[in-house]
């Protein structure tokens, strides 16, 4: 029976309550450990298509008669258009239309950051369109941008109200502390730089618009386009079968989609609007910089008595306040906590979610400060973390739905113990060290999410759901889940996704929510089919349904006999067995999180400031693992992005003009294959007993969370220097070494700041 | 201006204006979209093809400079053992960089049948992968080289 319930929904740490209708979830969780297909390494079902260059990404789609749009973006961080005339551009040969401020919501004549869209032209080729932009006659009044964070704070230029959180009595907490650590940490802005840039092709068919777009969320784009063009939602069809990376920045429709839709409507032809790499680096979102002031108090036995943190998040002109205080609030048991988060609005390009937004930044500050505390307490950093383990959610005393963090700590122990031999590697100016950091993040997913499964007469199954595979391997994971439930080899399952017209509603591929949201729905749909197969077989062969099970492509009778699945489905010839499944609710009154710890080994050249990451060990708890091979890739990918975040990546803004200086992949330093250390990873792989019929959580984000802090802590272990600002460039490193030298010369009193 | 090309063993003759890049001809004129464009300015390697076996960036190669050199794209390497090896090693996540990676790696293996880790890193450093498949790429190349993995 369908049940109407109110459930808590979480995406990237943002909670909301919503009504959902859930079907009774009749399926028990599978037993722990690798099964026939689930829990065993599977190569990607779409791997060949991608590797052979057959997979068609949005960028590869060429529709007959397709035109190309180019966008005039503000060259100024803050300005007003005094006069604009599109005519000279529209009159050029090959140009088919133009649109300016006042004609479309995403176009403005008062841009508030560099790159904000002002006008667009559409032409026969992308070159024609770009050339035509040059001909638009425009007169600017350039205004003074607000770029200085102190000034912004003084003027209270906030995107939303500052967020205050308090529990216990922070003053009493510090009074009870034997040791206090106080420090400021800074993190930089980094750019997503997915290799496929943001882009959309729109094509109208009567009252329907087909939107081919590189997106992490088909349904979100559908809703935005429907609202913008005042269409019934299902008159917008959104398609993305192969997607070239998102990392958080492709969660919404974007100006390029609206521009393509409008120009396609006007010209009656398909229109492609594609950001080039330079636009991508200015205008497609970024991880916002933070300034963090932390104060930690602990008793001499290491028990935390007070945590206080002020976060200034430089969001840019738009966006939202990510949960930067999350780790301080939730990672450790501490009675007295106070956090304030300011979301500062500046005339710089808007932030967007970037793989574990907020927690990456917040974990860097907290986990570095914790090691500084451990040093003062002369306590083993791993032991300090164990002593402050949160047995239940410190926010509201809720039980955690499943938490294997202590097991992660136990498995990390031998890697942490390597530090003695690592120290011994010191050679000339090269010092070696080991550091750890703990990971906490969401990743439980939630309803609504649906899937259908159809089983054909030849005994092959197709999973239909309008979700996306953004490169995380969800197609493969869904195929494994359906195969497991149907007792089929994975080769006999096809997953059709990426089209809102071909399958039911699915969750955003963000917030590590895809597998935990979609997996249970797919399993339920396959379970629905499996039940029908047993019912049909029972009637056909005159046996009791409860003695039948599905395995190895057969229906197996408890007495040992079996029939090939095709013997049953074949009866129907072209008839199909159809199943549907919905994601059930999250466990009421429980907090669902993911956990882990990473151990970094680094080498630092104390003369030049060069830092080399030599090894990362990672262990995470994400409940049941569906595909260990894909999971390992996710972990490696997250860690490699984190190494870029830690050491080389940084969006540079000109402090006076607010223009982005790092616009190319030459100027913006992504990690290359030569920057990759040895990465050793494992997953605890114990299903979360309370979470859905699967017990699985998401893994997209956890691996990127603790790496930067682990690296900084390893640097302290190697050199005694406190690096508190990302990225750890040579300059930053040499500065920290210099400070450490100074400190050694003027020894501090042990016990430091008075409590 | 007419240009004659040999691509993956097939001869083509087509009209291309001066300034047209090889990548544009491959992708837009011939529909060979396995070659990807990620930066269009020579910084990422996604558009890598081979000219007489040498990896070049097709986004900054003008089609009229190709001459009689043989063009090999991912479409011409679909049966190369690296393709299977990339899938087996899980060296493709979003896959957008993958064709370029395979084109570069196949040129490496043709020149050096069993490259060391350092040689692989040197040869592949111009092919960016934002998803971070690098460890798996190394593994895939080693498998094909038949040396069973790196040092
Ligand atoms: S697309 Fe040619 S190097 Fe980036
Ligand atoms: S697999 Fe996504 S960029 Fe390499």
């Amino acid at each position: 029976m369908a049940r109407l319930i109110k459930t808590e929904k979480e995406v990237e740490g943002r909670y909301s309550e919503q009504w959902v209708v859930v079907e009774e979830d009749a399926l028990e969780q599978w037993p722990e450990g690798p099964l026939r297909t689930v829990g065993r390494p599977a190569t990607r079902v779409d791997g060949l298509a991608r590797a052979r260059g057959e997979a068609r990404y949005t960028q590869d789609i060429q529709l007959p008669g397709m035109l190309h749009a180019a966008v005039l973006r503000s060259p100024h961080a803050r300005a007003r258009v005094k006069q604009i005339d599109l005519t000279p551009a529209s009159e050029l040969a090959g140009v088919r239309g133009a649109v300016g401020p006042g004609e479309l919501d995403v176009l403005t004549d008062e841009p508030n950051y560099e790159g904000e869209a002002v006008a667009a032209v559409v032409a026969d080729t992308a070159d024609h369109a770009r050339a035509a932009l040059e001909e638009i006659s425009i007169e600017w009044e350039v205004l003074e941008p607000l770029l200085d964070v102190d000034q912004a704070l003084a003027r209270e230029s906030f995107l939303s109200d500052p967020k205050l959180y308090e529990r216990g009595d922070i003053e009493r907490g510090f009074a009870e502390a034997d040791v206090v650590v106080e420090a400021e940490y800074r993190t930089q802005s980094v750019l997503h730089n997915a290799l496929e840039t943001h882009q959309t092709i729109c094509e109208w068919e009567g009252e329907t618009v087909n939107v081919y777009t590189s997106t992490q969320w088909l349904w979100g784009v559908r809703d935005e386009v429907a609202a913008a063009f005042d269409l019934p939602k299902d008159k917008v069809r959104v398609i993305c079968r192969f997607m070239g990376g998102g990392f958080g920045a492709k969660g919404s429709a974007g100006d390029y989609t609206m521009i393509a839709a409008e120009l396609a409507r006007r010209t009656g032809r398909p229109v492609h609007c594609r950001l080039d790499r330079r636009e991508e680096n200015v205008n497609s979102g970024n991880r916002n910089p933070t300034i963090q002031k932390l104060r930690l108090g602990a008793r001499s036995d290491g028990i935390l008595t007070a945590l206080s943190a002020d976060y200034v998040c430089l969001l840019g002109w738009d966006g939202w306040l990510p949960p930067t205080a999350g780790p301080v609030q939730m990672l450790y048991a501490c009675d007295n906590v106070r956090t304030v988060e300011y979301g500062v609005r500046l005339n710089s390009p808007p932030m967007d979610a970037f793989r574990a937004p907020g927690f990456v930044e917040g974990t860097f500050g907290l986990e570095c400060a914790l090691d500084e505390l451990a040093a003062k307490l002369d306590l083993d950093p791993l032991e300090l973390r164990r002593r402050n383990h949160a047995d239940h959610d410190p926010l509201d005393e809720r039980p955690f739905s499943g938490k294997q963090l202590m097991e992660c700590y136990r498995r990390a122990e031998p890697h942490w113990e390597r530090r003695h031999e690592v120290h011994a590697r010191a050679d000339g100016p090269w010092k070696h060290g080991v550091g750890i950091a703990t990971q906490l993040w969401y990743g439980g997913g939630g309803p609504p999410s649906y899937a259908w499964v159809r089983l054909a007469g030849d005994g092959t199954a197709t999973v239909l759901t309008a979700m996306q595979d953004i490169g995380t391997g969800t197609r493969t994971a869904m195929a494994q889940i359906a195969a497991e439930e149907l007792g089929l080899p994975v080769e006999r399952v096809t997953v059709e996704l990426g089209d809102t017209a071909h399958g039911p509603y699915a969750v955003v591929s963000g917030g590590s929510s895809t597998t935990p949201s979609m997996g249970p729905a797919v399993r339920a749909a396959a379970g629905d089919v499996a039940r029908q197969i047993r019912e049909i077989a029972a009637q056909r062969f005159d046996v009791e349904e409860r003695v039948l099970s599905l395995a190895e492509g057969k229906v197996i009778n408890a007495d040992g006999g079996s029939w090939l699945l095709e013997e049953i489905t074949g009866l129907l010839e072209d008839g199909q067995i159809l199943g549907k499944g919905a994601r059930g609710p999250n466990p009421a009154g429980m907090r669902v999180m993911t956990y882990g710890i990473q151990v970094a080994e680094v080498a630092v050249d104390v003369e030049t400031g060069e830092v080399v990451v030599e090894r990362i060990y990672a262990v995470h708890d994400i409940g049941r693992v569906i595909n260990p091979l894909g999971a390992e890739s996710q972990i490696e990918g997250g860690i490699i992005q984190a190494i870029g975040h830690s050491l080389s990546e940084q969006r540079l803004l000109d402090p006076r003009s607010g223009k982005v200086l790092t616009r190319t992949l030459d100027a913006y330093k992504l990690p290359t294959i030569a920057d990759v250390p040895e990465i050793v990873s494992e997953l605890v792989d114990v299903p979360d007993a309370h979470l859905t019929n699967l017990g699985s959580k998401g893994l997209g984000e956890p691996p990127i969370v603790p790496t930067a802090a682990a690296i900084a802590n390893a640097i302290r272990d190697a050199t005694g220097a406190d690096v508190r600002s990302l990225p750890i460039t040579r300059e930053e490193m040499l500065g920290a070494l210099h400070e450490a030298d100074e400190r050694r010369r003027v020894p501090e009193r042990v016990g430091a700041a008075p409590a | 201006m007419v240009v004659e090309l040999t691509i993956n063993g097939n001869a083509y003759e087509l009209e291309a204006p001066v300034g047209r890049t090889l990548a544009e001809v491959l992708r837009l004129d011939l529909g060979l979209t396995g070659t990807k464009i990620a930066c269009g300015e020579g910084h990422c390697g996604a558009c890598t093809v081979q000219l007489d076996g040498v990896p070049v960036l097709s986004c900054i190669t003008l089609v009229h400079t190709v001459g009689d050199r043989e063009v090999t794209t991912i479409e011409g390497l679909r049966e190369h053992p690296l393709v299977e090896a990339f899938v087996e090693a899980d060296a493709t996540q979003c896959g957008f960089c993958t064709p370029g990676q395979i084109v570069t790696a196949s040129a490496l293996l043709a020149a050096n049948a069993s490259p060391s880790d350092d040689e692989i890193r040197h040869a592949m450093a111009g092919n960016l992968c934002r998803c971070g498949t690098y460890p798996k790429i190394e593994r895939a190349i080693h498998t094909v080289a038949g040396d069973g993995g790196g040092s």
Side-chain angles (χ1 to χ4, degrees), chain A residues 50 57 60 278 632-633, chain B residues 36 41 90 94 121 136:
Chain A
R50 294 186 198 255
Y57 297 76
D60 302 326
R278 295 178 184 220
E632 187 180 77
S633 294
Chain B
K36 305 298 178 201
E41 51 190 349
D90 207 37
C94 80
R121 287 170 167 234
K136 305 295 197 228

Side-chain angles (χ1 to χ4, degrees), chain A residues 407-561:
Chain A
E407 174 62 15
C408 293
Y409 287 160
R410 194 187 66 74
R411 295 194 192 190
E413 184 90 52
H415 301 272
W416 172 231
E417 283 307 318
R418 283 164 57 101
R419 66 192 183 282
H420 308 293
E421 71 194 64
V422 168
H423 292 156
R425 284 191 221 142
D427 182 16
W430 286 98
K431 308 287 177 222
H432 295 251
V434 181
I436 57 171
T438 301
Q439 170 259 319
L440 178 77
W441 173 249
Y442 306 94
S449 293
Y450 311 93
W452 298 331
V453 171
R454 72 175 190 229
L455 187 70
D458 63 358
T460 60
T462 303
V463 177
L464 289 134
T465 175
M467 61 187 283
Q468 11 341 274
D469 185 338
I470 63 170
T472 53
T474 46
R475 249 195 201 93
T476 312
M478 297 309 124
Q480 286 179 277
I481 290 166
E484 187 70 43
E485 187 64 29
L486 292 167
L488 285 176
V490 80
E491 301 73 36
R492 272 166 68 178
V493 179
T494 305
V495 178
E496 285 296 338
L497 52 76
D499 186 340
T500 56
H502 290 173
Y505 181 92
V507 74
V508 58
S509 291
S512 302
S513 63
T514 317
T515 299
S517 301
M518 300 312 303
V522 169
R523 186 178 170 216
D528 189 8
V529 170
R531 176 185 53 78
Q532 296 176 58
I533 297 170
R534 286 192 301 268
E535 286 169 1
I536 296 167
Q539 293 166 53
R540 179 75 179 96
F541 301 111
D542 209 14
V543 287
E544 267 189 88
E545 204 186 300
R546 56 174 185 83
V547 302
L548 300 178
S549 58
L550 305 183
E552 289 158 26
K554 294 187 200 123
V555 178
I556 296 172
N557 191 334
D559 72 5

Side-chain angles (χ1 to χ4, degrees), chain A residues 274 665, chain B residues 23 36-48 57-60 126:
Chain A
R274 167 183 179 271
L665 290 178
Chain B
K36 305 298 178 201
I37 300 294
C39 73
E41 51 190 349
H43 295 151
C44 77
C47 64
T48 307
L57 301 172
S58 64
C59 74
I60 51 167

Side-chain angles (χ1 to χ4, degrees), chain A residues 44 50 52 54 56-57 59-60 62 191-193 195 277-278 471 632-633 636-637 641 649 671 676, chain B residues 27 33-34 36-38 41 43 74 78-79 83 90 92-95 121 128 130-132 134 136:
Chain A
R44 289 178 197 236
R50 294 186 198 255
R52 289 161 58 101
E54 292 164 335
R56 295 229 175 232
Y57 297 76
Q59 186 185 265
D60 302 326
Q62 283 196 59
L191 301 169
H192 302 72
N193 268 316
L195 281 204
R277 181 58 52 188
R278 295 178 184 220
E632 187 180 77
S633 294
E636 290 168 355
Q641 279 186 357
E649 292 182 37
V676 176
Chain B
R27 291 178 46 80
T33 53
K36 305 298 178 201
I37 300 294
E41 51 190 349
H43 295 151
I74 186 66
R78 282 188 174 158
E79 304 310 321
V83 169
D90 207 37
T92 172
Q93 290 190 31
C94 80
R121 287 170 167 234
L128 297 176
R130 188 45 155 167
C131 298
Y134 299 131
K136 305 295 197 228

